Amino acid sequence: MSSNPLSLTEGFAAPDLEAWKKAAVKTAPDARIEALIWRTLDGLEIQPLYGAWNAGEPVGPRRAAAADTARPWDLRSAVFAGTPGEANAGALKALDGGAASILLPVEAAGLASSDAMGQALDGVLLELATVALDGGAAAVEAANALAVAAKGSPQAKLAFHLDPVTTIARDGPDLFEAAVQTAMRHQAAYPAAELFLASGRFVHEAGGTEAQELATMLASAVAYGRALEAAGLKPDAALGRITLGLAADQMTFLTLAKMRAARALWAQVCAASGVAVPARIEARSSRRMLSAADPWTNLLRLTAAGFGAGAGGADAVVLDPFDVLIETPTPLALRQARNIQLVLMEEAHLGRVADPAGGSWFVESLTRELAEAAWAQFQAIEADGGVTASLDRLADEVAAAHAERDQQLKAGERQMIGVTVHRPADAKPIAAKTETGRFAPISLTAAFEGGDQ
């Protein structure tokens, strides 16, 4: 057997950029190479070809290799339930079916009391499986209830995920001070617990751009870090108890670059604080991208979202069931939400390589430009006085982004399979559930699936 390395370029002429341009312009609209450039709603230009000449320097830090290459991230399963008993059954089934952790719906299942939380977690081994809360307006009560349920297990893997910024943004009660007091009450008793979730997802679900979402996430993290430090924690301890929350959608490369950009932005904040704390990212699949009239296409969107989040370095990933918009998720859909991730990890082997997109000229360029755009918006938020002070301005900017994307979909500049193009002949109109108010979640598909279409 030869010990000489195999060359994949031997016998091929060196690529000629000018020759490529001459060939590409023949098929470009109006014979203009510029017509092949695609622009995101943040104004970032996606070039038709990348190389050393236009990629720029890589962005760091890159995600380290996973400790478990077969399970490179935490497969987090959302539980859908209307009572504590249903939550318990759903949690145990998810964990038995391959999930590594669970996300509990506090308000929907009535889990704000210690008795209800204890019933929901009966049989769940809290030192093995992380229990994360989706608390909403009941977040403080739910965090206290979870702490009581974990009493006697100081190493319990709890994710209180207090997120008062999202609650305030959606016109809910101002829980900021109460959330800080709650976090400080439990931080010493549960040293492994995640206290705050600094999420930009409410911006995404309201129609915002990637940079708007990242900037909001970062501004929320800074607000929580400052509050914890003011309450007595050292900067590294404060930042170490914060999880970053982002949405993952069907735009795989944008999702992937967004996860990598979040890590770079977090490193910049930590450096400014004089500490080095690795980012911890929870990615949840986008609701706004899902189709109600043709839910089977959601399997493809969810797979693309899961791939982008996993390859981008998310530490925990939550994928919705494909039928979540039209009914209580079926057992098949719940199983598929887990199995998509299991296939990505255990069959596609995404964990075999640390930061698999690292070094890609396209991905490195997109990551850097997205991080720069988000940092500029983060600075504007800070100049306004912080994230809560800037919510009205941010809501207007998100609404403008939503309107522009909606116009692009209606004009055919963007497409969604099974929704704007290639709709199934037997698809029935869906009466979309709409919400109102600041940062109300939107659906990109509703305008094309309603009864007036």
Side-chain angles (χ1 to χ4, degrees), residues 345-397:
M345 290 191 286
E346 299 183 14
E347 294 188 27
H349 302 293
L350 286 192
R352 291 288 184 91
V353 178
D355 190 19
S360 159
W361 288 315
F362 168 47
V363 174
E364 293 288 8
S365 176
L366 185 57
T367 300
R368 185 186 63 257
E369 292 177 3
L370 190 52
E372 289 172 351
W375 185 259
Q377 295 201 34
F378 163 70
Q379 289 179 312
I381 291 173
E382 289 296 286
D384 283 345
V387 63
T388 56
S390 68
L391 287 174
D392 286 336
R393 176 182 61 79
L394 184 61
D396 292 338
E397 294 174 355

Side-chain angles (χ1 to χ4, degrees), residues 5-365:
L6 175 65
S7 172
L8 298 179
T9 60
E10 185 177 351
F12 293 91
D16 186 333
L17 179 59
E18 291 306 316
W20 177 85
K21 288 181 178 179
K22 289 179 182 179
V25 78
K26 293 178 181 178
T27 59
D30 300 324
R32 295 185 308 108
I33 198 72
E34 295 79 10
L36 299 178
I37 298 173
W38 184 75
R39 290 173 177 80
T40 73
L41 292 181
D42 287 308
L44 307 185
E45 293 187 347
I46 309 298
Q47 302 294 330
L49 186 67
Y50 283 85
W53 66 88
N54 66 349
E57 293 298 317
V59 176
R62 293 167 64 171
R63 190 178 192 274
D68 183 353
T69 58
R71 286 293 189 99
W73 65 81
D74 180 348
L75 193 173
R76 184 160 293 168
S77 189
V79 175
F80 295 84
T83 66
E86 290 177 1
N88 180 249
L92 295 177
K93 188 168 185 178
L95 294 169
D96 185 59
S101 65
I102 53 174
L103 178 65
L104 293 179
V106 171
E107 293 182 295
L111 305 181
S113 70
S114 55
D115 287 344
M117 186 68 72
Q119 183 181 350
L121 295 178
D122 184 31
V124 176
L125 302 179
L126 299 180
E127 294 190 355
L128 295 179
T130 298
V131 175
L133 300 180
D134 187 358
V140 170
E141 293 87 347
N144 290 329
L146 180 59
V148 171
K151 190 175 182 179
S153 300
Q155 294 304 313
K157 300 169 72 174
L158 311 179
F160 294 120
H161 280 182
L162 295 159
D163 186 15
V165 169
T166 293
T167 304
I168 295 168
R170 289 182 171 164
D171 299 319
D174 186 346
L175 302 175
F176 203 103
E177 290 302 322
V180 174
Q181 293 171 8
T182 301
M184 293 301 295
R185 185 181 307 121
H186 302 304
Q187 54 86 21
Y190 299 102
E194 302 168 33
L195 300 179
F196 280 93
L197 178 68
S199 179
R201 287 182 58 252
F202 72 88
V203 166
H204 170 91
E205 297 294 4
T209 69
E210 288 76 22
Q212 289 169 344
E213 180 186 1
L214 282 166
T216 305
M217 171 211 76
L218 197 64
S220 298
V222 167
Y224 297 151
R226 285 172 176 158
L228 288 173
E229 187 177 357
L233 292 186
K234 293 182 179 180
D236 57 343
L239 295 177
R241 308 298 288 272
I242 297 171
T243 299
L244 307 178
L246 291 169
D249 67 11
Q250 80 279 18
M251 303 294 286
T252 300
F253 283 103
L254 275 173
T255 293
L256 197 158
K258 183 167 66 176
M259 303 295 154
R260 299 179 83 248
R263 212 167 285 279
L265 292 165
W266 177 255
Q268 193 156 341
V269 164
C270 288
S273 304
V275 300
V277 178
R280 181 174 54 241
I281 302 172
E282 183 200 70
R284 300 187 197 177
S285 59
S286 166
R287 285 277 175 96
R288 78 182 192 191
M289 71 172 178
L290 299 180
S291 166
D294 189 14
W296 297 104
T297 58
N298 293 334
L299 286 169
L300 299 176
R301 297 185 182 95
L302 291 164
T303 301
F307 179 91
D315 298 279
V317 179
V318 184
L319 295 185
D320 268 324
F322 66 85
D323 59 4
V324 69
L325 295 187
I326 57 176
E327 56 186 324
T328 300
T330 59
L332 171 64
L334 290 167
R335 182 162 58 88
Q336 291 285 36
R338 296 191 298 271
N339 284 354
I340 287 172
Q341 294 198 56
L342 291 173
V343 169
L344 289 172
M345 290 191 286
E346 299 183 14
E347 294 188 27
H349 302 293
L350 286 192
R352 291 288 184 91
V353 178
D355 190 19
S360 159
W361 288 315
F362 168 47
V363 174
E364 293 288 8
S365 176

